[in-house]
Amino acid sequence: MTDSAGQGRGSGLRLLLTHALLILVCLVILLPLLWVLRVSLLPPSLSYSTDLSAPLSLVNFESLFSGRFPRSYLNSLVVATGSVLLALPFAAATGYAFARFTTGGAVARFSVLATQMLPPVVIALPIFQMFQTLDLSNTLTGLILAYAALNLPFLTWILMGFFKGIPVDLEWAAMTDGATAWGAFWRVVLPVSLPGLAAAGVLGFILAWNEFLFALILSGPNTATIPVALAALQTSNGIQIGDVAAGVVLAVLPLMIASRFIQRFIVEGLTLGSVK
Amino acid sequence: MASIELRGVSKRYPNGLYGVRDIDLKIRDGEFVIFLGPSGCGKSTTLRLIAGLESVTSGDLLIGDQSMVGVPPRDRDVAVVFQSYALYPHMTVAANMAFGLKMRKMPRREIATRVDRAADLLGLSHLLTRKPAALSGGQRQRVALGRAIVREPKVFLFDEPLSNLDAQLRAEMRLELVKLHRRLGRTIIHVTHDQIEAMTMGDRICIMREGRLIQSGPPLEVYANPVDTFVARFLSSPPMNLLPAHLEVDGDGLTVKLGEAIRLAVPERHVPAYRAVAGRPVTFGLRPEDIHEQPPAPTQQGFEVQVVALEALGAETNLVAQPTASGALPEITARLGRQARARTGETVTLYPDLLSMHLFDPETGAVIPRPPLDAPR
């Protein structure tokens, strides 16, 4: 009895310590974000104030919306969504081929991965030159194409892993049931892979949403995306920290929604119950 | 309805290994054939070759007199039930069963009729709107079977469909598949590594090993006349006893000498067949059920053993024993009746029924042929 009580006390203490540590780690991660949130809601004159009772206001958001920011926000949405929609079908096809067949061998698989190892700046200049020639720089189409190309290897790799996890028996069953190889892919593999496609799509969206270097090089004032627009708030009069904070808060919003989405889909695991 | 014929069929993979090699086999229309063998023996590969899910490297494969080389699975009119069941997880039970008919553009009303009929037959009617994830293992297995039945294919291919079921359900489904075969009269190939399924379900067993077909025939015939030690041991549980022996001439007859001291007279009817190998070392084979506590005939010789272990299974008792004679003999297993009197540690005399004996070449494992006993004896 005393033993178990002692044990209870010991484990209680351990629980307390564990939680204290976890809370500390959470604060390390969350504090900067909370700080950004607070700054976004303070008038610019109080941006650096440590007074916790300072009055809140939406003046930063108002100033942001009176400028080019809404345009940039829309640009980002169009570019990120467009690039994912463009890249996903190709990534799905390539990923499926890599997962099911020996297509291209190890060389093709490695080269797809290798493109991710290059520092982006290495391809930034050639792309800039190419887009200049094709009259694509300073257009949203250009950015969509560039991001689709950047996303393609990454999405291919993710989807390859996902397709590998789908039992080949399912396709075999569909094929003996009368489907062509394409029919088996379209009617069975694709519906079963929807969670994977959604997850990959969201990750690609985030990648495009946050990309800065290519956006900076390939966009102009009318086609700037959020990261570029935020960077532009650093003016000769100093950084407009209130506006930046408000912009960051708005920029993070779709990502938060997206990650909720992704989580639900990944956890769901649609293949459950198909085999065994 | 269709017969199946494999002519010298081989499957060679790009890495040079053979999945199956030189298979010659003719399966009659409406026959229930079992492919039996240990894992990796090529039985499932052969099934996939017949289904068209893998391509034949050399040889010819015919279904109903038509060569199937290069014909895609959808045009072979075969249905496969996979070990994993492979139900489409995003479709309901009804949609799973209807999928093949929809692919073949059958009118909707006909599809509904067939699905209902199959669901009725398999006791799935109340589950038609469920998704596979909401079914038990046995129910999934039935859906997989239903998906095959509704199509009314020429050939059913079963790839170890019972191996994920518990023992009781497996015994029930075994019986149901046999009944199904009788009702539908279609050609069925059933792949398994389970000896009981092999012995009880099919018209014919095909035993495979390392990609080759090594013996095929009616179950009891194969059981009574195995072509080599592999088949002899694989087809029953507990497996056939195999003992190193020496065949000696003894006047007009022959004697099997086990170890230093055990001498057993070869029955007269086997003497002519075995005379050719007299004087040579052989492997002596005898099934556990051919070893008794009482002499089957008054003149039958026995030998002494020490009982190592007893497995009382209720209906029968498996006795594992070490022959006491010198000469380093391996342990033997005897399948005795419910009333076995021997106790662990005791020394008892066991009586082999030598009419059922087999002799094998100790090097190749191939049987030394003798006239078959009528099966069952």
Side-chain angles (χ1 to χ4, degrees), chain A residues 88-120:
Chain A
L88 212 50
F90 292 102
T94 320
Y96 180 69
F98 278 178
R100 276 294 178 264
F101 311 111
T102 47
T103 318
V107 177
R109 283 160 185 73
F110 179 73
S111 13
V112 165
L113 195 63
T115 56
Q116 297 289 289
M117 299 174 190
L118 285 177

Short mmCIF file of all heavy atoms in Angstrom, two decimals, chain A residues 88-120:
data_model
loop_
_atom_site.label_atom_id
_atom_site.label_comp_id
_atom_site.label_asym_id
_atom_site.label_seq_id
_atom_site.Cartn_x
_atom_site.Cartn_y
_atom_site.Cartn_z
N LEU A 88 0.48 18.17 -59.94
CA LEU A 88 -0.02 16.95 -59.31
C LEU A 88 -0.28 15.80 -60.30
O LEU A 88 0.16 14.67 -60.05
CB LEU A 88 -1.27 17.28 -58.49
CG LEU A 88 -1.49 16.43 -57.24
CD1 LEU A 88 -0.24 16.37 -56.39
CD2 LEU A 88 -2.65 16.97 -56.43
N PRO A 89 -0.97 16.04 -61.42
CA PRO A 89 -1.21 14.92 -62.34
C PRO A 89 0.09 14.30 -62.85
O PRO A 89 0.21 13.07 -62.91
CB PRO A 89 -1.98 15.56 -63.49
CG PRO A 89 -2.54 16.81 -62.95
CD PRO A 89 -1.61 17.28 -61.89
N PHE A 90 1.06 15.16 -63.18
CA PHE A 90 2.34 14.63 -63.68
C PHE A 90 3.07 13.87 -62.58
O PHE A 90 3.64 12.80 -62.80
CB PHE A 90 3.21 15.78 -64.19
CG PHE A 90 2.67 16.43 -65.42
CD1 PHE A 90 2.01 17.65 -65.35
CD2 PHE A 90 2.79 15.81 -66.66
CE1 PHE A 90 1.50 18.25 -66.49
CE2 PHE A 90 2.28 16.41 -67.80
CZ PHE A 90 1.63 17.63 -67.71
N ALA A 91 3.05 14.44 -61.38
CA ALA A 91 3.72 13.79 -60.25
C ALA A 91 3.06 12.45 -59.95
O ALA A 91 3.74 11.46 -59.67
CB ALA A 91 3.68 14.69 -59.03
N ALA A 92 1.73 12.42 -60.05
CA ALA A 92 1.01 11.17 -59.77
C ALA A 92 1.39 10.11 -60.80
O ALA A 92 1.69 8.96 -60.45
CB ALA A 92 -0.49 11.41 -59.78
N ALA A 93 1.42 10.50 -62.06
CA ALA A 93 1.75 9.54 -63.12
C ALA A 93 3.17 9.02 -62.95
O ALA A 93 3.42 7.81 -63.00
CB ALA A 93 1.57 10.19 -64.48
N THR A 94 4.11 9.95 -62.71
CA THR A 94 5.51 9.54 -62.56
C THR A 94 5.69 8.70 -61.30
O THR A 94 6.36 7.66 -61.33
CB THR A 94 6.43 10.77 -62.48
OG1 THR A 94 5.98 11.75 -63.41
CG2 THR A 94 7.86 10.40 -62.77
N GLY A 95 5.09 9.15 -60.22
CA GLY A 95 5.22 8.44 -58.95
C GLY A 95 4.67 7.02 -59.07
O GLY A 95 5.26 6.06 -58.58
N TYR A 96 3.55 6.89 -59.77
CA TYR A 96 2.94 5.57 -59.96
C TYR A 96 3.85 4.67 -60.79
O TYR A 96 4.08 3.50 -60.45
CB TYR A 96 1.58 5.72 -60.62
CG TYR A 96 0.87 4.43 -60.86
CD1 TYR A 96 0.37 3.69 -59.80
CD2 TYR A 96 0.71 3.92 -62.15
CE1 TYR A 96 -0.28 2.49 -60.00
CE2 TYR A 96 0.06 2.73 -62.37
CZ TYR A 96 -0.43 2.02 -61.29
OH TYR A 96 -1.06 0.83 -61.51
N ALA A 97 4.39 5.26 -61.86
CA ALA A 97 5.30 4.48 -62.72
C ALA A 97 6.53 4.03 -61.93
O ALA A 97 6.97 2.89 -62.04
CB ALA A 97 5.72 5.31 -63.93
N PHE A 98 7.05 4.92 -61.12
CA PHE A 98 8.23 4.58 -60.31
C PHE A 98 7.88 3.50 -59.27
O PHE A 98 8.69 2.64 -58.96
CB PHE A 98 8.75 5.82 -59.58
CG PHE A 98 9.63 6.69 -60.43
CD1 PHE A 98 10.15 7.88 -59.93
CD2 PHE A 98 9.94 6.33 -61.74
CE1 PHE A 98 10.95 8.69 -60.72
CE2 PHE A 98 10.74 7.14 -62.53
CZ PHE A 98 11.23 8.32 -62.02
N ALA A 99 6.68 3.58 -58.74
CA ALA A 99 6.29 2.66 -57.67
C ALA A 99 6.01 1.26 -58.21
O ALA A 99 6.34 0.26 -57.59
CB ALA A 99 5.07 3.19 -56.93
N ARG A 100 5.38 1.19 -59.41
CA ARG A 100 4.90 -0.10 -59.88
C ARG A 100 5.81 -0.78 -60.90
O ARG A 100 5.86 -1.98 -60.98
CB ARG A 100 3.52 0.08 -60.53
CG ARG A 100 2.39 0.06 -59.57
CD ARG A 100 2.19 -1.28 -58.90
NE ARG A 100 1.09 -1.20 -57.95
CZ ARG A 100 1.26 -1.00 -56.66
NH1 ARG A 100 2.46 -0.86 -56.15
NH2 ARG A 100 0.21 -0.94 -55.85
N PHE A 101 6.48 0.04 -61.70
CA PHE A 101 7.28 -0.55 -62.78
C PHE A 101 8.75 -0.21 -62.57
O PHE A 101 9.09 0.54 -61.67
CB PHE A 101 6.80 -0.01 -64.13
CG PHE A 101 5.32 -0.09 -64.30
CD1 PHE A 101 4.54 1.07 -64.33
CD2 PHE A 101 4.67 -1.31 -64.36
CE1 PHE A 101 3.16 1.00 -64.45
CE2 PHE A 101 3.29 -1.39 -64.49
CZ PHE A 101 2.54 -0.23 -64.54
N THR A 102 9.58 -0.80 -63.40
CA THR A 102 11.02 -0.53 -63.27
C THR A 102 11.41 0.69 -64.11
O THR A 102 12.60 1.00 -64.22
CB THR A 102 11.83 -1.75 -63.71
OG1 THR A 102 11.30 -2.21 -64.95
CG2 THR A 102 11.74 -2.86 -62.69
N THR A 103 10.41 1.36 -64.68
CA THR A 103 10.64 2.53 -65.53
C THR A 103 11.82 3.39 -65.09
O THR A 103 11.84 3.88 -63.96
CB THR A 103 9.39 3.46 -65.52
OG1 THR A 103 8.25 2.64 -65.60
CG2 THR A 103 9.43 4.45 -66.66
N GLY A 104 12.78 3.57 -65.98
CA GLY A 104 13.86 4.50 -65.71
C GLY A 104 14.93 3.97 -64.77
O GLY A 104 16.04 4.51 -64.72
N GLY A 105 14.62 2.93 -64.05
CA GLY A 105 15.60 2.34 -63.14
C GLY A 105 16.00 3.28 -62.02
O GLY A 105 15.35 4.32 -61.78
N ALA A 106 17.06 2.92 -61.33
CA ALA A 106 17.50 3.70 -60.17
C ALA A 106 17.97 5.09 -60.59
O ALA A 106 17.84 6.05 -59.83
CB ALA A 106 18.62 2.95 -59.45
N VAL A 107 18.49 5.18 -61.82
CA VAL A 107 19.03 6.47 -62.29
C VAL A 107 17.93 7.53 -62.31
O VAL A 107 18.10 8.63 -61.78
CB VAL A 107 19.63 6.31 -63.70
CG1 VAL A 107 20.12 7.65 -64.22
CG2 VAL A 107 20.75 5.29 -63.67
N ALA A 108 16.78 7.17 -62.89
CA ALA A 108 15.69 8.13 -62.98
C ALA A 108 15.23 8.54 -61.59
O ALA A 108 15.00 9.72 -61.31
CB ALA A 108 14.52 7.53 -63.76
N ARG A 109 15.12 7.56 -60.69
CA ARG A 109 14.66 7.88 -59.34
C ARG A 109 15.64 8.82 -58.65
O ARG A 109 15.25 9.77 -57.97
CB ARG A 109 14.50 6.59 -58.53
CG ARG A 109 13.23 5.85 -58.90
CD ARG A 109 13.28 4.38 -58.49
NE ARG A 109 12.09 3.66 -58.95
CZ ARG A 109 11.89 3.33 -60.23
NH1 ARG A 109 12.79 3.65 -61.14
NH2 ARG A 109 10.80 2.70 -60.59
N PHE A 110 16.94 8.53 -58.84
CA PHE A 110 17.92 9.36 -58.17
C PHE A 110 17.93 10.77 -58.77
O PHE A 110 18.03 11.75 -58.04
CB PHE A 110 19.31 8.75 -58.25
CG PHE A 110 20.36 9.59 -57.60
CD1 PHE A 110 20.42 9.68 -56.21
CD2 PHE A 110 21.25 10.35 -58.35
CE1 PHE A 110 21.36 10.49 -55.60
CE2 PHE A 110 22.18 11.16 -57.74
CZ PHE A 110 22.24 11.23 -56.36
N SER A 111 17.81 10.86 -60.10
CA SER A 111 17.88 12.20 -60.68
C SER A 111 16.71 13.06 -60.22
O SER A 111 16.86 14.26 -60.03
CB SER A 111 17.97 12.18 -62.20
OG SER A 111 17.68 10.94 -62.71
N VAL A 112 15.56 12.42 -60.03
CA VAL A 112 14.42 13.18 -59.52
C VAL A 112 14.75 13.73 -58.13
O VAL A 112 14.50 14.90 -57.81
CB VAL A 112 13.16 12.30 -59.46
CG1 VAL A 112 12.10 12.94 -58.60
CG2 VAL A 112 12.63 12.07 -60.85
N LEU A 113 15.37 12.90 -57.32
CA LEU A 113 15.72 13.32 -55.97
C LEU A 113 16.85 14.35 -56.01
O LEU A 113 16.88 15.30 -55.23
CB LEU A 113 16.13 12.10 -55.15
CG LEU A 113 16.17 12.29 -53.64
CD1 LEU A 113 14.78 12.60 -53.12
CD2 LEU A 113 16.71 11.05 -52.96
N ALA A 114 17.77 14.15 -56.96
CA ALA A 114 18.96 14.99 -57.02
C ALA A 114 18.60 16.45 -57.27
O ALA A 114 19.26 17.36 -56.78
CB ALA A 114 19.91 14.49 -58.10
N THR A 115 17.51 16.67 -58.06
CA THR A 115 17.13 18.05 -58.33
C THR A 115 16.82 18.80 -57.04
O THR A 115 16.93 20.00 -56.98
CB THR A 115 15.89 18.12 -59.24
OG1 THR A 115 14.85 17.39 -58.60
CG2 THR A 115 16.17 17.54 -60.61
N GLN A 116 16.41 18.04 -56.02
CA GLN A 116 16.09 18.67 -54.75
C GLN A 116 17.35 19.03 -53.96
O GLN A 116 17.27 19.75 -52.98
CB GLN A 116 15.22 17.73 -53.91
CG GLN A 116 13.88 17.42 -54.52
CD GLN A 116 12.95 18.61 -54.49
OE1 GLN A 116 12.46 19.01 -53.46
NE2 GLN A 116 12.73 19.21 -55.66
N MET A 117 18.48 18.47 -54.38
CA MET A 117 19.70 18.72 -53.62
C MET A 117 20.41 19.98 -54.11
O MET A 117 21.26 20.51 -53.43
CB MET A 117 20.64 17.52 -53.74
CG MET A 117 20.05 16.24 -53.19
SD MET A 117 21.15 14.86 -53.52
CE MET A 117 20.13 13.49 -53.05
N LEU A 118 20.06 20.44 -55.30
CA LEU A 118 20.69 21.65 -55.82
C LEU A 118 20.22 22.85 -55.02
O LEU A 118 19.04 22.96 -54.70
CB LEU A 118 20.26 21.86 -57.28
CG LEU A 118 20.87 20.97 -58.34
CD1 LEU A 118 20.24 21.32 -59.68
CD2 LEU A 118 22.37 21.18 -58.41
N PRO A 119 21.13 23.80 -54.72
CA PRO A 119 20.66 25.05 -54.14
C PRO A 119 19.82 25.77 -55.19
O PRO A 119 20.24 25.85 -56.35
CB PRO A 119 21.94 25.82 -53.83
CG PRO A 119 23.07 24.98 -54.27
CD PRO A 119 22.57 23.74 -54.89
N PRO A 120 18.65 26.27 -54.82
CA PRO A 120 17.74 26.86 -55.81
C PRO A 120 18.39 27.97 -56.63
O PRO A 120 18.08 28.15 -57.79
CB PRO A 120 16.61 27.42 -54.95
CG PRO A 120 16.71 26.73 -53.66
CD PRO A 120 18.11 26.30 -53.47
#
